[in-house]
Amino acid sequence: MIKVEGLTKAFRGQPVLRGVNLEIPTGSITVIIGRSGGGKSVFLKHLIGLLRPDAGHVIVDEQDVTALHGRALDQVRQRYGVVFQGGALFDSLTCAENVAFPLREKLGLPRAETVRRVDAALAQVSLEGAAGKYPAEISGGMRKRVAIARALVIEPQIIFFDEPTTGLDPILVNTIHRLILELHSRHHFTALIVSHEIPEIFEIADSVAMLADGRIIETGPPAAIQASRNPVVQKFIRGEPE
Amino acid sequence: MNGQLPLLLRPVERLGDGALSIVESLGRFGGFLGQAIGIMLTPPFKWRAFVDRINYIGFRSLLIILLTGAFTGMVLGLQLYLTLSRFGSEAFLGPAVALALIRELGPVLAALMVTGRAGSALTAELGIMRITEQIDALTVMALNPLRYLVVPSLLAGLVSFPLMTALFDTVGIFGGYLVGVKLLGLSEGTYFGEMQTFVHMDDIMMGFWKSALFGVVVTWVATYKGFNVGHGAEGVARATTQSVVLASVLILVWDYFLGSVLP
Ligand SMILES: Nc1ncnc2c1ncn2[C@@H]1O[C@H](COP(=O)(O)OP(=O)(O)OP(=O)(O)O)[C@@H](O)[C@H]1O
Ligand SMILES: [Mg+2]
């Protein structure tokens, strides 16, 4: 279980998170929604230990990651798979090498096994043809999918996806969602997904949390969020302009 | 805090803040190297990245080293010949060229050339990796980015700078030979013979230590600036400029320092 308590962060005096509280049960898929610039990526970066909060805690299975450093933090990160909003592919490596990288460097798998897993991972995101291409030679949506393949290939226990499907066509959005569901039913990982895919994302979420004004203003199962009486939530999921 | 101090003391406070922030960034700069050395001493060692960096820093700088080395030697040959012939001692052209190159100009000019070619590129590459979150991606894979990106560069600098300096010196000595012997008519035996008499192992070791140290300084500055880049394309541009300027200044400062300390 991941427990976030009173997470607070300001950049140069500008508050972004003002005390975020959230519980992410082990094995569930939790989706974070909220306005662009609302602090979703900043929130995610606290959970993976890239940013340090001004106040508050992130507790992953009894361990407070905001207090961990160096090797102890790496121990926790061993279990993570992360997809950054921009993909963050290594641009000096081909797509196949990108996916192979964590297998080789983290798990130290033999060559044949690595090749087999990389091929399977790329096939899952329908990118068999892009294996030998460099990130600069493929489209933005293809890059996103390589990043997803790279995060899932090591079968992490906890996955953090920052807008994994933004910029993909509707068919691919559903393909990725189905892939996440399918892998989830097989490996039962804990997932935290930041997404703007409303309402599609509600179909795979166990619970949805809305981040607004630096706080989680509403959380619950998708149906409850959709039926929410909170006008801010309603306006957001209906996409009403201000 | 600021409001409580009397007006007169505020400039003093600001001065103190400035000094503190300089000390702080020096601490970070030193800490960066310390961390990298710590990782260097613990396995695993990334051989592939190391070979790649040797190619990046050393091999691809060969052409510019050959060119600048040759012309430096030729200029030295010409100028020293003109000067020495005024005292009637043009026989010492060989050792004069060799000593100038081996003790000073070889290590310094080779290092400056590689800074311009590879140091800047290294900073820009790491800077872009930083702003596109590739370094963060390594971090969250629980893989230490210093191990993959910094240690191989530092070691490649340590290994390839002395080699490139040796090449620079050799080509330069032949450049001096071309001008002094082939063009100005000094005898070949005098040029190389006197060189053997007057150039000692100490001189060569001095050049070696200097270049090895420059190799570490240049890659240290380049990787540090790349890792601590600001925001966006402008941040990368600024880091690249700072990296070249800082590395060049440090090369000259250390050159003077080592020249006065080493035998
Ligand atoms: N490193 C940083 N330094 C300063 N400010 C930052 C930094 N990172 C984020 N911010 C600020 O924090 C706020 C939240 O940014 P964040 O990237 O978390 O938004 P987001 O919710 O992920 O938006 P989007 O849906 O567009 O990705 C923004 O106003 C941004 O300017
Ligand atoms: Mg974001």
Side-chain angles (χ1 to χ4, degrees):
Chain A
M1 167 137 102
I2 303 176
K3 213 163 145 187
V4 181
E5 293 170 349
L7 204 65
T8 305
K9 180 75 176 179
F11 290 106
R12 272 179 251 105
Q14 281 285 328
V16 176
L17 304 178
R18 304 165 189 254
V20 175
N21 295 303
L22 186 66
E23 281 187 12
I24 303 159
T26 303
S28 80
I29 299 180
T30 300
V31 169
I32 305 272
I33 57 173
R35 296 291 304 273
S36 180
K40 303 182 297 298
S41 299
V42 169
F43 175 63
L44 211 75
K45 281 182 188 165
H46 281 89
L47 301 199
I48 57 184
L50 284 179
L51 287 175
R52 302 264 165 193
D54 299 335
H57 303 278
V58 175
I59 292 151
V60 179
D61 295 336
E62 324 275 281
Q63 273 191 302
D64 186 353
V65 294
T66 58
L68 296 179
H69 291 273
R71 222 166 269 165
L73 184 55
D74 279 347
Q75 282 288 320
V76 179
R77 283 175 176 150
Q78 290 288 355
R79 308 160 53 199
Y80 284 4
V82 181
V83 173
F84 286 87
Q85 193 165 355
L89 296 178
F90 302 124
D91 47 25
S92 58
L93 302 180
T94 65
C95 294
E97 286 166 348
N98 259 286
V99 179
F101 190 83
L103 289 176
R104 199 181 61 220
E105 301 296 327
K106 276 181 84 166
L107 305 186
L109 290 185
R111 209 190 179 86
E113 173 72 4
T114 304
V115 169
R116 197 187 59 73
R117 284 228 222 163
V118 168
D119 287 346
L122 284 175
Q124 274 176 332
V125 292
S126 355
L127 276 180
E128 299 92 331
K133 294 204 172 115
Y134 285 91
E137 299 170 335
I138 58 178
S139 77
M142 291 162 86
R143 252 172 264 160
K144 266 269 155 70
R145 285 183 278 154
V146 177
I148 294 170
R150 185 178 69 179
L152 291 177
V153 75
I154 48 169
E155 296 175 2
Q157 293 168 12
I158 306 174
I159 65 174
F160 298 95
F161 283 6
D162 197 348
E163 304 192 18
T165 52
T166 303
L168 302 189
D169 65 52
I171 297 174
L172 279 171
V173 169
N174 286 319
T175 311
I176 298 295
H177 284 175
R178 209 168 306 155
L179 173 67
I180 293 175
L181 259 191
E182 185 194 311
L183 290 174
H184 184 257
S185 64
R186 239 190 292 155
H187 302 298
H188 305 288
F189 49 67
T190 308
L192 185 70
I193 305 174
V194 172
S195 180
H196 287 308
E197 306 295 347
I198 295 169
E200 292 87 349
I201 195 71
F202 291 148
E203 288 165 27
I204 70 165
D206 292 319
S207 108
V208 178
M210 168 129 184
L211 184 67
D213 286 328
R215 291 192 188 84
I216 300 290
I217 56 164
E218 182 118 9
T219 169
I225 291 285
Q226 278 170 302
S228 166
R229 288 170 187 279
N230 189 327
V232 181
V233 177
Q234 275 306 327
K235 271 184 106 167
F236 182 75
I237 57 180
R238 292 224 201 92
E240 285 171 20
E242 311 231 285
Chain B
M1 184 76 204
N2 224 345
Q4 286 147 16
L5 275 176
L7 201 64
L8 266 174
L9 282 182
R10 275 185 211 159
V12 181
E13 188 195 27
R14 206 159 299 154
L15 200 70
D17 280 350
L20 266 184
S21 85
I22 290 176
V23 171
E24 237 174 61
S25 52
L26 276 179
R28 271 201 302 273
F29 186 47
F32 183 78
L33 184 68
Q35 257 180 306
I37 291 173
I39 289 164
M40 213 179 277
L41 301 176
T42 53
F45 181 69
K46 295 295 155 193
W47 282 102
R48 257 165 63 159
F50 175 66
V51 172
D52 178 67
R53 291 292 110 164
I54 291 266
N55 174 37
Y56 191 88
I57 295 169
F59 191 68
R60 285 201 231 156
S61 303
L62 279 183
L63 186 65
I64 193 153
I65 290 293
L66 289 176
L67 268 177
T68 51
F71 278 98
T72 305
M74 285 160 69
V75 169
L76 276 178
L78 186 64
Q79 292 303 328
L80 288 174
Y81 186 89
L82 293 178
T83 312
L84 289 171
S85 64
R86 291 198 188 168
F87 313 114
S89 24
E90 58 269 34
F92 298 116
L93 181 67
V97 168
L99 284 176
L101 279 171
I102 291 171
R103 290 181 63 97
E104 287 294 333
L105 294 174
V108 171
L109 289 180
L112 289 176
M113 287 303 147
V114 180
T115 302
R117 208 211 59 78
S120 57
L122 193 57
T123 304
E125 186 185 344
L126 293 184
I128 287 170
M129 290 186 78
R130 168 65 79 194
I131 62 175
T132 55
E133 298 179 321
Q134 294 176 52
I135 294 180
D136 291 339
L138 274 175
T139 307
V140 298
M141 286 177 190
L143 301 171
N144 194 320
L146 295 182
R147 185 184 301 285
Y148 288 82
L149 302 171
V150 176
V151 169
S153 299
L154 285 172
L155 288 176
L158 187 68
V159 171
S160 55
F161 270 56
L163 289 174
M164 281 188 293
T165 302
L167 191 69
F168 188 99
D169 293 348
T170 313
V171 175
I173 286 168
F174 274 97
Y177 163 84
L178 223 59
V179 172
V181 177
K182 293 287 171 202
L183 207 67
L184 301 172
L186 200 71
S187 100
E188 193 172 319
T190 320
Y191 187 81
F192 286 113
E194 294 297 322
M195 205 183 285
Q196 274 178 358
T197 320
F198 285 103
V199 178
H200 302 299
M201 202 56 202
D202 282 353
D203 302 313
I204 295 174
M205 283 322 284
M206 167 148 192
F208 172 79
W209 287 120
K210 276 185 177 178
S211 60
L213 185 91
F214 294 162
V216 173
V217 167
V218 169
T219 47
W220 175 20
V221 170
T223 49
Y224 177 79
K225 286 289 173 190
F227 256 60
N228 295 285
V229 73
H231 296 291
E234 198 199 329
V236 175
R238 194 171 318 129
T240 308
T241 311
Q242 283 175 354
S243 158
V244 172
V245 171
L246 182 60
S248 307
V249 170
L250 284 179
I251 286 168
L252 293 171
V253 170
W254 275 104
D255 182 52
Y256 175 78
F257 185 69
L258 285 182
S260 52
V261 170
L262 290 177

